[in-house]
Amino acid sequence: MSEDLIPFQSFPDIQDHQEVLKATSLQINKDAGEEWINTSHELSPESIYQAVREQINIMCDCNVPGLVRLFYRVDLPEQTVRQVIERDDPGSVVDQLTYLLVRREALKVFYRMSYSA
C-alpha cells in the first residue's frame, strides 16, 4: 500500500522522505482544520493512513457534510468520490476514501516541492 499511497518513486529528485511525510501530514491537518496527525513523532505512510482513516470513519458516522467540504478543500473530484461510495462495498468505502485523500495531499506536496526547487 505505501508504495503507491505516497508515490516517492514518481519523484526521484526528492530524497528526504521524512520531509515529504511531514509536509503531507501538515497539509492534511491544514485542510482538515484540525490536527489529525501528530507531526512531532516519526511518520510513515501507514501511520498517516491510519490517522486519517480514523477521522474519516468518524466523519462518515457523524459529519457527512463536513466530510464533503473536506473533499472539496482537498480537491478530490466529486465524480471519483461518488463512484467510490456507489460502487464499493460499505466495508471498504472508508479505506478507499482515505487512500484518495492521502494520495491527493501527497501529490500536492510533491508538486510543490518539485517546482519550488
Side-chain angles (χ1 to χ4, degrees):
M1 171 194 63
S2 64
E3 291 78 32
D4 66 331
L5 177 66
I6 312 269
F8 293 114
Q9 70 281 2
S10 299
F11 298 85
D13 293 341
I14 300 173
Q15 299 298 314
D16 189 346
H17 291 189
Q18 273 302 304
E19 181 183 356
V20 170
L21 294 173
K22 184 169 185 174
T24 300
S25 298
L26 291 170
Q27 184 66 48
I28 291 167
N29 289 345
K30 177 184 170 209
D31 287 340
E34 59 185 291
E35 186 176 294
W36 283 8
I37 303 164
N38 183 343
T39 58
S40 66
H41 293 79
E42 184 78 13
L43 297 167
S44 69
E46 292 80 13
S47 67
I48 293 170
Y49 177 88
Q50 288 304 322
V52 172
R53 188 187 185 292
E54 285 178 33
Q55 294 300 319
I56 287 179
N57 194 39
I58 291 168
M59 291 182 85
C60 281
D61 290 340
C62 304
N63 188 5
V64 173
L67 188 58
V68 171
R69 287 190 301 275
L70 173 62
F71 291 148
Y72 179 78
R73 279 192 306 277
V74 171
D75 195 26
L76 283 176
E78 182 182 345
Q79 186 63 29
T80 302
V81 172
R82 185 173 288 139
Q83 285 175 350
V84 167
I85 292 169
E86 291 173 357
R87 287 188 190 164
D88 285 355
D89 68 283
S92 70
V93 167
V94 172
D95 290 325
Q96 288 299 314
L97 293 176
T98 301
Y99 174 85
L100 290 171
L101 187 141
V102 172
R103 183 164 170 87
R104 176 68 183 119
E105 296 286 47
L107 288 172
K108 283 186 198 177
V109 167
F110 274 118
Y111 287 124
R112 191 177 306 127
M113 290 175 136
S114 293
Y115 292 112
S116 69

